[in-house]
Structures are given as structure tokens and as C-alpha cells.
Amino acid sequence: MGSVDSRIKKAKFFSKTILSPFILSINNFNSYAKIKQYNNELQIQLANQFIENAHLKTLLQKNQLYKFEYATKDTAFVLADVIGITGNLSSFNIIVNKGQKHGVENNDPVLSSKGIVGKVVQSYYDFSVIMPMTSPDFKLAILDKNTNIQGILETSVSEQTYISFISVGSTISIGDTIVTSNLSQLFPPGYPVGTISSIEESQDAMYIKGRITPKTAFNNLESVFILKPEKKEDYEAIIKSNY
């Protein structure tokens, strides 16, 4: 309605007061939607990056677990994960996810990345049971690395592990490193067992014994190495037969 100039003026007025704010609102809404979508994409990328970093951290931790902290012999081994514990606190056994189909046999020696663990006492088809060195039923010939004094590893019913049967007057000291002995048929010699934390006398005062703090942390053990050493002639049978 009205003249051309009048219609132009009305069109400009409606454009400024109604159309422009409406179009601006639509543009702002579209921009907000794009920003929200972009933000969601960033959140997804951040979550994926977090998952990847956590995975890499886990792999790094596992690599540290698989890295020996001592010199090892040229012996084959089977890597196994700890999947369970059986028994009570004073005499527990460890269950791992490798068994006969992986070449694991009874009496195979077992290590951690820090030191000895124990031995396989029962191998099943796809899992095995390990007796730890802290079990009262576990015995092993061991050696004070600092003095070359031989002894026997044994654990009391009170869950204390010792190097025992050392003659009074023998020189062993707190802090000495205890390793496997060449008298053992179970482990190769020189593998870490633990360190002496205290020294006690036997009840008959004929022997002394050193309390051992194990190198292996059994409360957070995740993986173990089951050794497959070469089979040797059993000289202990000859000794027992008084040949």
C-alpha cells in the first residue's frame, strides 16, 4: 500500500525490527549447534586419547614387570599371569594361566622379575598351581652371596622366612644378599632370594639363622616366569643311596 517510497520505508522498517533479529537468531542457533557438535567431537577425541594413554601406561607397566632386575641364565621360560590364590594366609598357593599344553611340568622353578617365587606343585592342562617360597612346606638350598655360607631356606608357621642351619660363629650380617645355591636341584645358582633383615639363634644354641625379606612382593604379584631348564642327572639320588 502507498507509494513506492512508502513501501520501501516500510520494508526497511520490518527488515530492521523483525527479519534481521529473526535471521540473526537463526544464525546464532546454527553457530551454537556447530560449536556444540565440534565440542562433542573434541570430547570424543579426548576420551579416545585418554583410553590410548591408559593402554600405553598399562603396557609400560607390564614391560617393567617383564624386565628382570638381575642377570639371568640362558634358560627358556614360560610367561604366565597370576589368576588366583588358593589356601590360607600361612600356606597359600598361586594359580597361573599356563599348564601342560604350554610345556609346564611339576617341579618347574618359578621366578618373578625381582627374584625367585617357588615351584610348580601341580600342572593341569591349561593352568598350574605354584607353591611359593614362603610356604612352610617349601625347602631350598641357598647361599649368602656376601660370605658364600650355605644354608637352607625354610618358613616357620608364623610366616617368617629364614636361611637356617648355619653354624654358630659363621659370619652372616644384616643386609646380606641371599641367592640360590649350586647345591639346589630346583633353581640354577645365583638367583635372588632376598636380604637378611635380622639374625637369631636356634633354641639349642647350636645354629644361627637369618630372617629373610624376600625380593618378590607376593601381595601384588601379577606375572611369573616358569623356567624350563635342561634336565640333568639327579646326583641327589646317588647321595641318598650312599653310593
Side-chain angles (χ1 to χ4, degrees), residues 11-226:
K12 288 180 177 180
F13 173 77
F14 283 114
S15 175
K16 291 179 179 180
T17 58
I18 298 176
L19 293 179
S20 287
F22 178 72
I23 293 173
L24 182 61
S25 297
I26 293 176
N27 289 337
N28 288 340
F29 178 80
N30 290 335
S31 297
Y32 172 75
K34 290 180 179 179
I35 292 174
K36 185 177 181 181
Q37 180 181 359
Y38 181 66
N39 184 60
N40 289 339
E41 291 175 355
L42 289 179
Q43 291 290 340
I44 293 173
Q45 292 179 10
L46 182 62
N48 289 334
Q49 189 67 44
F50 177 80
I51 293 171
E52 183 178 355
N53 288 342
H55 179 64
L56 291 175
K57 185 178 180 180
T58 300
L59 289 178
L60 181 61
Q61 291 174 341
K62 279 190 171 292
N63 286 336
Q64 292 298 321
L65 290 174
Y66 300 159
K67 184 179 180 181
F68 287 104
E69 296 183 4
Y70 51 92
T72 58
K73 312 297 188 292
D74 293 330
T75 304
F77 61 82
V78 176
L79 179 62
D81 292 330
V82 175
I83 57 175
I85 300 292
T86 181
N88 53 50
L89 292 177
S90 61
S91 184
F92 69 91
N93 287 330
I94 301 166
I95 303 174
V96 297
N97 65 344
K98 296 295 172 64
Q100 295 169 1
K101 73 175 182 180
H102 307 98
V104 178
E105 301 176 18
N106 292 350
N107 294 318
D108 281 348
V110 184
L111 298 171
S112 72
S113 61
K114 298 181 181 295
I116 73 167
V117 172
K119 68 176 182 178
V120 175
V121 290
Q122 185 61 60
S123 175
Y124 297 91
Y125 179 69
D126 57 0
F127 71 94
S128 297
V129 179
I130 296 169
M131 177 189 293
M133 57 168 275
T134 54
S135 169
D137 296 324
F138 187 88
K139 300 291 187 293
L140 181 70
I142 53 178
L143 173 75
D144 186 318
K145 186 178 180 181
N146 300 66
T147 62
N148 288 330
I149 291 176
Q150 301 275 356
I152 300 295
L153 182 144
E154 59 181 9
T155 299
S156 66
V157 292
S158 59
E159 304 176 45
Q160 307 301 328
T161 302
Y162 296 93
I163 176 172
S164 300
F165 295 103
I166 299 174
S167 299
V168 173
S170 299
T171 304
I172 62 171
S173 304
I174 294 175
D176 283 0
T177 299
I178 305 301
V179 297
T180 53
S181 167
N182 57 353
L183 297 180
S184 171
Q185 278 288 92
L186 181 62
F187 283 93
Y191 283 176
V193 175
T195 55
I196 296 178
S197 58
S198 64
I199 298 173
E200 305 173 12
E201 278 193 3
S202 62
Q203 293 181 351
D204 57 12
M206 295 182 62
Y207 299 96
I208 59 174
K209 58 183 180 179
R211 182 175 173 183
I212 297 175
T213 299
K215 289 288 188 181
T216 297
F218 289 93
N219 58 341
N220 61 355
L221 191 61
E222 295 183 10
S223 301
V224 297
F225 303 88
I226 302 173

